Amino acid sequence: MRSLLCWLTLGVLVSAAEKPNVLFLLSDDHSYPYLSCYGDANVRTPVLDKLAGEGIKFRRFFTSAPQCVPSRAAYLSGRSPVAARITRFSSPLPRDVVTFPEVLKQEAGYYVGVVGRSYHLDGSMGKGEGELSRFLEDGGFKTFKDRFDVVQGGSDTQVVEQAAAFLEGRPKDKPFCLWVNFSDPHHVWNAPASYRPDPASLKLPAHVPDLPGVREQYADYCAEVNRVDETAGKVLALLDRLGLAKDTLVVFAGDNGQALPHGKGSLYDPGCNVPFVVRWPGVVAPGGDSSALLSGEDLGPTVLAAAGLKSAAGMTGVSFLPLLKGEAAKTREHVFMERGPHGSAPVQVGMSNNGYDLSRAVRSGRYKAIYNCTPWIPYSPVDSAGGSAWKSIQELHGKGGLAPGLAATYFTTPRPVYEFYDLDKDPFELENLSGRPEVAAAERELRLAMAKKMIADFDYLPLPAIPGAAAPVKMKGKGKGEAEKADKAAERAPLFKRLDVDGDGKLSRAEFSVGRSPADAADWFARRDADGDGFVSREEFLPGSPLGKAPAAK
C-alpha cells in the first residue's frame, strides 16, 4: 500500500513538473519594432534582446484592438473583443467569458495572479461616476478576485516587489501563472534623461513628417521603452534568483501600439503590431525569428496547449504551440482587429475619433482592409492629441506644407468607408487602393473574410459591402475609371430589373420610389433623371453616382 501511495505521489509530481510555469509580461502602448532585437536603433533594450535570443521573436503579432481594454480581453479570453462583449472601453469582462488563467487554475491546479498596472477588465468609470462604480461592485460585475488567487495593482516601481511576493509566497507544490502589467511606455512620459535618446539621432517612420515637435515626442516615447526593458529585467531576475527560469514559459508582449499619430487607436499596423517574444527552455530553440501571422486571440489557446489542456469553450484563437516547438505548422491567413469607444467620455457633437470610433480591419501577409463605420468623425490620435507631435502636424497642414499622403491620412473628412493597402509596396499605409481594379480580387477576399468573422462573432456592426466579381473586370482599351464604373453598373443592374416591373426599360416615379421614403425618393429621382423627361432610364440608373446634378435648394 505504501509503495502504491509513493508511486501515485511520484506520478503527481512528475505530472506537475511537465506543466510549465507561465510568466506573462505585458508592456503598455508598445509598438513593433521598438526593441533593439528587431533592428530598431532608436531604443536600447538589452534585457528583452537577451530574452529573444534565448527564445523566439515574432515580427507579425497583432493585438485584436489598438486599445488597452479590448486587447487585454482578447489576450485573456482567447476570443475577439467583439465575441467577448467588451468593445466598450469601460466594460467589465462578462463572468461567463472564461480566461486562460482560470482554466489553468481549475483544470491543472495552477496558482494564478495578476500584478502591476491595471489589468483593465473589471470595468471602469470616469470621474464623478460614483453611482455607476458602486453598481459595478454591488452587481457582481467585478470578477477578477474570484478568477485569480492574487489580484494586486501598482505602479512600475511597485510591480517588482509584487511579483516577488507572489513568487515567494506561492504554494511550492503547484505550477504558477503570473500576469505582470507594466505602465511604460504609456503616458505619462516621465523617464529620466538618462533613458532618453538624442531627438536628432532618431530615424522616424514615413507616416509622420520630420518636425522638431515630432522628434521630441518620439524621444520621450523611446525613453519609456528603454525604462520598461530595465523593469522587465528585474522581474526576470526573480526567476533566476528563485531557480524557476528553466521551468517557466515566459511571454513578453505589448498590449497595443504607441500613443502617437497612426498608432494607438488606429487600425494601421503601428496601432496593433506589437513586440512578441517567447522563451521556454528545453522547448523553444534559442535565436528563433518568425514572420508568421499571429493574433492576440492566440495566446490563451497556446498557453493552455503548452500545459496539455484543450482550449476553453468559446475560444476562437489558434494555438501556435507547433511553431514554438519548431514543428511544421499551418499558420493564419488573416488576423482581425476592431476599434470601439475609447475611455469613458460620452459622445459629443464635434468630437474627434480619439474618443469614439467604430471600425474593423483584416490583414493578410500582404494586404490590409479597413472598414470605417463612423467615417464622418475626423481623425485625432488617442492619448496624444495635445502633444507637440500632433500639434506640429496640424500646424504644418494648416500652412499647406504636409505631404499629400500624410494630409490624406490624417485630414480627410469624411474619412473613406473602405481602405485597402498593399503592404509590400506601401508598408506605412499611406496610399488607399480601395476600389482599384488591380487589387479587386484581393480586396474582395479580405472583405469576405471580415464579413465571415463578424458573423461568427455576432458583431453588431453592419457587414461590409462585398464587391461584385471575384476577379477584376478586364476591359480592353479602358482605363481604371471606366473599369470601376463598369463594376458599379454590374452591381446595380439586378436592382434596376427588379424595380422595372412593367419591363419598359425605364423607371417611373412610382417604380423608383419603392422602398424609399417620399422625401428620399423625390431627392434621388431628381438626381438620377438627368434629361428631365420624368423617367429614370437604365443608363441613368446604373452608374454608381448620379449623372444629374443635385436639385437646387429651395
Side-chain angles (χ1 to χ4, degrees):
M1 182 67 180
R2 180 176 297 177
S3 298
L4 177 61
L5 182 59
C6 291
W7 183 85
L8 289 173
T9 302
L10 179 61
V12 171
L13 290 174
V14 170
S15 177
E18 291 174 350
K19 295 179 174 63
N21 301 314
V22 178
L23 178 64
F24 178 31
L25 306 175
L26 192 66
S27 59
D28 202 308
D29 294 359
H30 195 167
S31 288
Y32 175 89
Y34 290 87
L35 292 181
S36 305
C37 62
Y38 289 123
D40 185 81
N42 294 327
V43 295
R44 302 185 309 274
T45 55
V47 170
L48 295 172
D49 297 345
K50 181 174 182 290
L51 186 74
E54 295 168 345
I56 183 171
K57 59 180 179 282
F58 291 91
R59 295 177 180 269
R60 295 199 293 186
F61 183 95
F62 290 82
T63 60
S64 297
Q67 306 155 271
C68 305
V69 177
S71 167
R72 291 164 194 250
Y75 272 136
L76 269 285
S77 71
R79 60 177 84 181
S80 77
V82 174
R85 310 196 302 282
I86 197 164
T87 61
R88 181 169 52 78
F89 193 87
S90 55
S91 297
L93 189 68
R95 190 62 190 92
D96 62 334
V97 176
V98 177
T99 65
F100 78 82
E102 286 177 272
V103 180
L104 292 174
K105 177 181 178 180
Q106 295 165 2
E107 298 188 17
Y110 276 67
Y111 184 65
V112 302
V114 55
V115 297
R117 175 178 171 80
S118 172
Y119 49 88
H120 282 303
L121 297 178
D122 261 342
S124 62
M125 292 296 124
K127 294 180 180 179
E129 298 291 350
E131 289 186 35
L132 292 179
S133 295
R134 287 194 296 273
F135 179 73
L136 286 171
E137 289 281 1
D138 298 343
F141 294 102
K142 291 184 176 290
T143 60
F144 270 70
K145 288 186 178 178
D146 297 327
R147 299 174 188 258
F148 286 70
D149 296 301
V150 173
V151 177
Q152 193 172 15
S155 67
D156 283 11
T157 58
Q158 298 169 314
V159 71
V160 180
E161 293 181 3
Q162 293 171 348
F166 175 90
L167 294 172
E168 292 168 353
R170 77 193 191 284
K172 302 305 187 287
D173 59 342
K174 291 184 175 184
F176 68 81
C177 173
L178 177 61
W179 177 19
V180 177
N181 291 288
F182 303 115
S183 180
D184 287 342
H186 191 284
H187 284 291
V188 179
W189 291 342
N190 59 3
S194 58
Y195 295 93
R196 195 172 189 265
D198 178 3
S201 71
L202 299 178
K203 181 179 180 181
L204 297 177
H207 60 251
V208 291
D210 191 346
L211 300 169
V214 173
R215 285 189 170 274
E216 289 295 325
Q217 287 220 287
Y218 268 82
D220 290 341
Y221 178 76
C222 291
E224 300 276 316
V225 172
N226 294 340
R227 184 168 63 176
V228 80
D229 180 78
E230 182 177 285
T231 310
K234 293 176 181 178
V235 176
L236 291 168
L238 295 172
L239 296 182
D240 294 327
R241 178 169 67 81
L242 298 172
L244 298 169
K246 62 181 177 61
D247 299 319
T248 301
L249 165 61
V250 177
V251 176
F252 176 87
D255 71 336
N256 53 250
Q258 59 188 184
L260 286 164
H262 222 62
K264 184 177 183 178
S266 81
L267 295 174
Y268 302 120
D269 276 10
C272 299
N273 187 194
V274 298
F276 194 80
V277 173
V278 180
R279 183 185 74 185
W280 188 3
V283 178
V284 175
D289 190 341
S290 174
S291 293
L293 276 178
L294 299 180
S295 165
E297 295 180 39
D298 301 338
L299 176 67
T302 302
V303 172
L304 293 178
L309 302 174
K310 295 181 179 179
S311 294
M315 288 187 174
T316 53
V318 180
S319 169
F320 53 89
L321 181 60
L323 282 176
L324 297 182
K325 292 183 174 181
E327 301 170 357
K330 182 180 180 182
T331 57
R332 277 179 170 271
E333 295 181 6
H334 305 109
V335 292
F336 303 90
M337 293 78 75
E338 68 86 22
R339 167 68 206 272
H342 191 82
S344 300
V347 171
Q348 301 176 42
V349 174
M351 72 186 303
S352 299
N353 84 328
N354 57 358
Y356 178 68
D357 197 17
L358 298 176
S359 50
R360 304 289 183 259
V362 55
R363 190 195 196 281
S364 67
R366 178 172 178 177
Y367 296 107
K368 161 93 65 72
I370 299 175
Y371 174 36
N372 295 307
C373 290
T374 46
W376 55 88
I377 303 178
Y379 173 79
S380 183
V382 167
D383 289 356
S384 63
S388 63
W390 181 237
K391 286 184 176 180
S392 62
I393 292 172
Q394 288 177 305
E395 182 179 356
L396 184 62
H397 177 63
K399 296 176 180 178
L402 200 59
L406 297 177
T409 294
Y410 294 125
F411 297 104
T412 297
T413 305
R415 293 173 290 136
V417 174
Y418 299 105
E419 298 176 59
F420 193 79
Y421 299 99
D422 183 339
L423 300 168
D424 283 357
K425 298 178 180 178
D426 177 27
F428 296 100
E429 298 163 273
L430 295 174
E431 184 181 6
N432 182 10
L433 303 177
S434 181
R436 295 192 188 179
E438 65 265 28
V439 296
E443 185 171 16
R444 184 176 192 276
E445 176 194 334
L446 261 64
R447 284 208 213 166
L448 271 174
M450 179 189 294
K452 291 175 183 178
K453 177 67 170 173
M454 292 172 71
I455 291 169
D457 287 349
F458 293 89
D459 202 325
Y460 49 83
L461 292 182
L463 297 179
I466 309 300
V473 178
K474 295 182 179 179
M475 303 179 67
K476 291 184 178 180
K478 301 217 175 201
K480 289 188 294 187
E482 293 192 16
E484 291 170 3
K485 290 177 184 177
D487 193 50
K488 292 284 187 184
E491 292 181 23
R492 293 178 61 82
L495 176 58
F496 181 87
K497 186 175 182 179
R498 289 197 301 271
L499 293 174
D500 184 20
V501 293
D502 59 8
D504 64 353
K506 58 186 179 181
L507 302 181
S508 66
R509 286 181 180 272
E511 289 173 324
F512 183 86
S513 301
V514 172
R516 300 173 183 263
S517 69
D520 182 63
D523 177 47
W524 284 100
F525 188 88
R527 293 172 186 265
R528 288 284 175 183
D529 183 16
D531 59 9
D533 67 350
F535 293 91
V536 173
S537 68
R538 191 173 189 276
E539 291 73 21
E540 291 169 331
F541 184 84
L542 292 187
S545 298
L547 300 175
K549 296 180 179 179
K554 295 181 179 179

